[in-house]
Amino acid sequence: MSVLATGAAIPLAAATESTSVGNPFVNIGIFALFVGVTLVVVLRASKNNKTAADYYAGGRSFTGTQNGTAIAGDYLSAASFLGICGAIAINGYDGFLYSIGFLVAWLVALLLVAEMLRNTGKFTMADVLSFRLKQRPIRIAAAITTLAVCLFYLLAQMAGAGALVSLLLGIDGKLGQSLVITVVGALMIVYVLVGGMKGTTWVQIIKACLLIAGAFIMTIWVLAMYGFNLSTLMGAAVETANNPALLDPGLKYGASETSKLDFISLALALVLGTAALPHVLMRFYTVPTAKEARKSVVWAIWLIGAFYLFTLVLGYGAGALIGPERITNAPGGVNSAAPLLAFELGGPILLGVISAVAFATILAVVAGLTITAAASFAHDIYANVIAKGKTTPEKEMKVARRTVVVIGILAIIGGIGAQGQNVAFLVALAFAVAASANLPTIIYSLYWKRFSTQGAVWSMYGGLAAAIVLIVFSPVVSGTKTSMIAGADFALFPLSNPGIISIPLAFFLGWLGTVLSKTKEDPAKQAEMEVRSLTGVGAEKAVDH
């Protein structure tokens, strides 16, 4: 299954030597080293997990810089590294639009959500939404949307892990990939069970530093080959692909009116979905003050911004040195651009480091998603709905740990089932659900005094249902050669991403539900939430000194 066998310029010895990409033993060795180091870190962090705040929010002990680095680690998933590099190598300008969308999304998080959310909440998104609304219906709805987003994100990461490792270690067949997914799931369960948010955060900090450093080294290397001249590099990419359209807008999203609408829809989901991703929102509770929450987002923007600038060079570098044809013909398809570039630059050793970092990326992201889903169930459903607040932090943490195991097993089963499926579909669904179901309710709760429980419930369930139904009836699932269900055609909705319909619909339902609501919410609670969100007075250790 040699990826390199497709390139005539690579000597036969190099192709035969690697049954996959590079040397599988080097890849395994470097990854085992990373797992060993992070397990030691997690075990050390676990010694301080005594309270619910320690387990869910890392004891609110992280600085803005540390938390910002962890947010970058949480956000820069394998899709960011592998997917965007490939998209730029194949589609040029249109591929780079993904990088711009992911980065601009952080401005929405910084300006509208981060500080106010940190001031108002305690552990989860539902703490904010239920602050001045009715607890039971809001917590159930928020937990359902959180679990939906996390589960689809988890499926994408687990399926991605199987595909990546089969590419790097030469593991063929579904059985081998299933084994890999099971190992990733087991490691994830151990990380979260033992380390909680504190251990998970340190894993994400280490992984973010490795990923950004690896991307930086490859970027400098590629630029050095072209005299540190970006124009020369882009010219070489155009020459290799024999396609001047790589430098112009519209190669992917300008072919028809439908594709232009699809791009607007995708952009809406990316830009608005980020500020409502539960595992990103939960990171704001790991800092001691609102000031540190602001600092952590600013720090994350710098790190993420730098990384996405690197992807521009890496994408065009892969296009110039490897060429779109070899990339698309590789078993990993578009996702193999970055590993192939690493092999081209530094041989098996650099490839081993980059592939281990990409795999570690998946591991860190699934750990963050799992603790978010577990906290949402244990804190929102168990503690506040089932036990009605009459429970102890110890019992709540016990439920959270059991939930981690259940979610881990579900993720393993789902990941095995999702092998060979369109991973982009699962990620797009996670973003669409977050943007549709969570963001309108968060924005209304923080900024609209009249907002009611009925409005919140209508918005969350309506946004969730609209996003899922539209994707089920989109070309992503059926109707094209690349659809999930080959041969079937029930694509009634022409766009691949539902954001352009489901997000405005969720905002409208939130407004309509509030206007038609017969019950008024408690004005004293509204006033308290407004003061707390703006000043931090009364929040969990959130007052600036």
Side-chain angles (χ1 to χ4, degrees), residues 443-491:
I443 298 293
Y444 280 146
S445 292
L446 292 173
Y447 294 97
W448 189 21
K449 290 180 182 178
R450 279 188 60 199
F451 191 50
S452 70
T453 303
Q454 181 172 291
V457 170
W458 283 21
S459 176
M460 293 171 92
Y461 287 130
L464 176 68
I468 291 175
V469 167
L470 288 176
I471 285 183
V472 166
F473 290 104
S474 76
V476 175
V477 176
S478 71
T480 68
K481 288 179 184 175
T482 54
S483 297
M484 284 183 73
I485 305 171
D489 187 1
F490 47 86

Side-chain angles (χ1 to χ4, degrees), residues 258-277:
T258 303
S259 65
K260 289 176 185 174
L261 271 176
D262 221 349
F263 173 67
I264 295 168
S265 193
L266 177 71
L268 271 173
L270 295 183
V271 171
L272 298 178
T274 300
L277 288 172

Side-chain angles (χ1 to χ4, degrees), residues 115-329:
E115 184 186 346
M116 296 176 87
L117 200 77
R118 168 64 191 85
N119 287 345
T120 314
K122 189 176 180 183
F123 297 134
T124 65
M125 179 183 75
D127 287 335
V128 179
L129 304 183
S130 65
F131 190 91
R132 63 183 180 89
L133 304 174
K134 290 185 176 65
Q135 292 272 332
R136 191 181 175 86
I138 297 298
R139 285 193 182 275
I140 292 171
I144 288 170
T145 60
T146 297
L147 289 168
V149 174
C150 289
L151 198 58
F152 281 107
Y153 230 117
L154 275 170
L155 294 189
Q157 298 298 329
M158 300 295 261
L164 181 66
V165 176
S166 69
L167 178 76
L168 297 169
L169 307 184
I171 296 171
D172 289 320
K174 284 216 166 192
L175 187 63
Q177 283 197 37
S178 301
L179 188 64
V180 168
I181 290 169
T182 307
V183 170
V184 175
L187 272 173
M188 168 189 82
I189 292 168
V190 170
Y191 278 152
V192 182
L193 274 184
V194 175
M197 181 57 96
K198 206 168 269 187
T200 301
T201 300
W202 281 114
V203 171
Q204 283 160 342
I205 290 170
I206 294 166
K207 170 237 130 166
C209 294
L210 286 173
L211 181 63
I212 293 167
F216 175 70
I217 290 164
M218 284 173 67
T219 299
I220 297 298
W221 199 325
V222 168
L223 285 174
M225 293 175 75
Y226 293 93
F228 289 94
N229 189 322
L230 192 60
S231 297
T232 309
L233 168 62
M234 289 176 162
V238 167
E239 202 175 310
T240 305
N242 195 21
N243 185 4
L246 274 179
L247 302 182
D248 299 326
L251 185 60
K252 180 173 172 63
Y253 291 110
S256 66
E257 289 304 314
T258 303
S259 65
K260 289 176 185 174
L261 271 176
D262 221 349
F263 173 67
I264 295 168
S265 193
L266 177 71
L268 271 173
L270 295 183
V271 171
L272 298 178
T274 300
L277 288 172
H279 63 294
V280 172
L281 296 179
M282 198 167 166
R283 295 233 60 90
F284 297 135
Y285 301 127
T286 63
V287 290
T289 66
K291 183 181 177 183
E292 293 295 325
R294 286 196 300 276
K295 186 179 172 185
S296 63
V297 181
V298 172
W299 189 250
I301 287 173
W302 278 107
L303 291 174
I304 292 165
F307 178 83
Y308 284 135
L309 284 177
F310 299 158
T311 61
L312 179 66
V313 175
L314 297 177
Y316 277 114
L321 293 169
I322 293 143
E325 194 177 337
R326 270 173 60 202
I327 291 168
T328 48
N329 289 338

